[in-house]
Amino acid sequence: MQGTIKERIKKKGRDSQGKIRSNIKVYDVYYRYKDNSTGETRPTVKRGFPTKSAAQNFLLDLNSKMVTNSFVTPKVVLFKDYLREWLDTYAKINLRQSTYIGYNRIINFHLIPHLGQIDLKDISPIQIDKLYAFLLQKGRRDGKGGLSAKTVQYTHRVLNEALEHAVKRQLIYHNPVKRITNIPRPKKFQSNIYTPEEILDLLERVKDTVFEVPVALAAICGLRRGECLALKVKDIDFINQEIYINKQLLSIEGEAIISEPKSEDSTRIVVVPQEVLDIISRHIAKNEQNKNMLQHEYDNQEFIICQADGKCVQPNVFSKNFSRFIERNKLKRIRFHDLRHSSASLMLKSGVDLKVSSQILGHSSIAITADLYTHVLKESKKEAAERVRQTLFGKNDKKEASPPKA
């Protein structure tokens, strides 16, 4: 058994019955442990056991945990210090820039203010349940109510991932998130979509505006907002009618930045109709005219969708202006992202294979496409069943419909 027990006299303390006495015997346990954060072996002591048997039981339990690799470093690690170190040594290195910024915001706005002063080992499921309840009811920073269930669910994911890493590093034995009861469950979002007729009407209304190219790319080809706004002339293959999606433009802390695509599967080649290429060509020609007129005042960043002086279009500003355009023209209210949903719905209703649709949309799996467009797939299945029925029983339908012979 590793460790030793030493007896000493304490001038004043409580005995095994809890009574305060003078000059009582107590027992201290001296042992060594491996600090999982540094890998070094350190000596420490657990003092003040009222009986020798209590000290022996502690030492036996300690040795059992060391054998089973369930021992937790005894030093205090404040949760705020662990989270900041985890952000720097893991999240910043392994996550996409946009994801890291989201993690950083969640940790600094929601986790550290509420759990930051607690020892990492002492964080409990009850404290996490209370945190989620508070965020749902009063979590907004402006004090005007609670956060959405989706935002709290994102907080839940960040917290769970951080604590899972603490378990792997043997800083804690169990992840308390696994035992909570108040798991945030946002309602499934139901997007509005445009019909083919509404898409054509919208394309006519946005002609020769900054919205024309992105609307065509989102509603017909299924591109995301950031993918549309990040496109440059070199990404278009007019001969093979292809667009290479390899980046996105994001709004981060009020600034537009170029980032890698949302996922590995988001990097893709999309084949586009000639009509969309014609729209892009007109817009490129218009940019060239602006460039010739403004000359050195033109900031040539080579974006296809850009401001009149060549600068990129800020994604959040673009979305707000698009919403105003929809409202001003008294069109059915949709978000810009709903045009992507409209494109997906159009593909599936047109009989495009689910796997092909998933690849065009840049989803990481078919399951995501199927989950997002269950209602469309259900309609397609009904249509497929009806076509099978017509093939098998169509002739019988005609016989029943024919008038009886005289």
Side-chain angles (χ1 to χ4, degrees):
M1 181 170 64
Q2 296 181 9
T4 58
I5 298 173
K6 293 183 180 181
E7 178 187 303
R8 66 181 170 91
I9 300 299
K10 189 175 182 180
K11 290 184 178 181
K12 184 176 284 187
R14 296 182 182 276
D15 62 15
S16 57
Q17 281 76 44
K19 295 180 179 180
I20 296 178
R21 297 184 182 277
S22 299
N23 298 321
I24 64 169
K25 285 184 179 180
V26 293
Y27 300 86
D28 302 332
V29 177
Y30 291 80
Y31 65 96
R32 300 177 71 83
Y33 70 93
K34 183 179 179 181
D35 187 337
N36 294 312
S37 62
T38 64
E40 298 177 358
T41 300
R42 300 178 181 275
T44 189
V45 59
K46 179 74 173 178
R47 300 181 183 276
F49 291 93
T51 64
K52 189 172 184 178
S53 62
Q56 288 173 333
N57 287 335
F58 171 80
L59 191 53
L60 285 168
D61 180 61
L62 179 70
N63 277 267
S64 175
K65 287 180 178 177
M66 287 184 174
V67 170
T68 58
N69 291 321
S70 59
F71 173 74
V72 174
T73 302
K75 71 176 182 180
V76 172
V77 178
L78 292 182
F79 192 42
K80 65 177 183 179
D81 295 330
Y82 167 74
L83 285 174
R84 286 169 179 156
E85 185 265 342
W86 179 73
L87 274 173
D88 287 339
T89 60
Y90 173 78
K92 185 178 288 186
I93 297 170
N94 294 282
L95 302 178
R96 298 172 188 277
Q97 183 184 12
S98 57
T99 306
Y100 165 75
I101 290 172
Y103 275 38
N104 187 65
R105 186 182 295 113
I106 288 292
I107 285 171
N108 284 293
F109 289 169
H110 304 316
L111 296 182
I112 287 179
H114 297 279
L115 303 175
Q117 296 298 328
I118 304 172
D119 184 357
L120 173 62
K121 298 186 295 297
D122 294 336
I123 293 176
S124 68
I126 292 176
Q127 290 168 323
I128 297 171
D129 278 330
K130 287 181 177 178
L131 167 65
Y132 292 169
F134 174 84
L135 293 178
L136 287 167
Q137 297 170 40
K138 302 177 181 179
R140 287 185 54 167
R141 296 179 68 205
D142 60 6
K144 297 180 180 179
L147 301 173
S148 68
K150 187 174 182 179
T151 300
V152 180
Q153 185 185 60
Y154 187 37
T155 302
H156 168 72
R157 289 173 181 170
V158 173
L159 177 60
N160 180 62
E161 187 173 353
L163 291 174
E164 280 295 301
H165 279 82
V167 173
K168 289 179 181 178
R169 293 170 59 183
Q170 296 183 324
L171 298 175
I172 56 176
Y173 185 45
H174 291 294
N175 180 354
V177 170
K178 303 297 183 185
R179 303 194 299 277
I180 67 172
T181 58
N182 190 20
I183 300 175
R185 291 187 174 87
K187 295 180 180 179
K188 192 170 182 179
F189 178 77
Q190 292 292 333
S191 63
N192 286 325
I193 61 173
Y194 269 15
T195 64
E197 293 75 22
E198 288 171 324
I199 291 173
L200 290 173
D201 179 51
L202 179 61
L203 281 170
E204 187 61 33
R205 291 172 184 261
V206 297
K207 191 171 182 179
D208 296 328
T209 72
V210 71
F211 302 117
E212 185 177 16
V213 174
V215 165
L217 291 171
I220 300 173
C221 307
L223 270 65
R224 300 178 177 92
R225 178 190 67 180
E227 295 169 346
C228 295
L229 298 180
L231 280 179
K232 297 190 175 185
V233 177
K234 62 184 179 181
D235 300 321
I236 313 295
D237 183 344
F238 288 95
I239 296 174
N240 295 307
Q241 295 184 224
E242 295 176 342
I243 294 178
Y244 184 38
I245 311 297
N246 60 354
K247 55 189 172 298
Q248 60 177 334
L249 191 68
L250 300 176
S251 290
I252 297 180
E253 304 294 342
E255 183 181 352
I257 65 165
I258 289 287
S259 175
E260 52 195 354
K262 187 175 182 181
S263 67
E264 290 183 5
D265 295 275
S266 295
T267 299
R268 62 200 189 278
I269 294 175
V270 177
V271 178
V272 299
Q274 184 59 49
E275 287 80 0
V276 174
L277 292 176
D278 292 341
I279 292 172
I280 293 174
S281 294
R282 290 202 310 271
H283 206 76
I284 292 174
K286 183 178 179 181
N287 291 342
E288 285 296 319
Q289 288 177 357
N290 291 337
K291 180 181 177 181
N292 292 332
M293 285 189 294
L294 296 176
Q295 296 184 4
H296 64 277
E297 295 293 331
Y298 189 84
D299 186 2
N300 189 18
Q301 299 180 15
E302 298 183 348
F303 290 110
I304 294 174
I305 303 160
C306 59
Q307 300 178 49
D309 62 358
K311 293 179 180 178
C312 70
V313 175
Q314 225 277 358
N316 286 347
V317 174
F318 175 85
S319 290
K320 289 178 182 178
N321 289 339
F322 178 76
S323 295
R324 294 190 185 108
F325 179 89
I326 293 294
E327 185 176 355
R328 189 165 60 248
N329 286 271
K330 299 181 180 179
L331 298 169
K332 184 170 74 178
R333 183 171 296 179
I334 59 166
R335 306 169 307 161
F336 181 79
H337 192 73
D338 291 333
L339 294 176
R340 174 173 156 86
H341 291 309
S342 302
S343 174
S345 178
L346 183 60
M347 279 190 279
L348 294 171
K349 285 183 177 179
S350 301
V352 177
D353 180 76
L354 181 61
K355 184 176 182 179
V356 174
S357 299
S358 181
Q359 291 173 342
I360 293 172
L361 294 166
H363 288 157
S364 56
S365 72
I366 296 177
I368 294 175
T369 313
D371 182 59
L372 285 172
Y373 304 107
T374 304
H375 60 292
V376 180
L377 292 172
K378 188 175 181 180
E379 292 176 12
S380 299
K381 287 176 182 178
K382 287 181 178 180
E383 292 173 3
E386 177 60 24
R387 286 197 294 270
V388 170
R389 190 194 73 80
Q390 286 288 344
T391 301
L392 289 175
F393 307 111
K395 294 180 180 180
N396 291 338
D397 289 348
K398 291 178 182 178
K399 288 180 181 179
E400 291 175 5
S402 60
K405 294 180 179 181

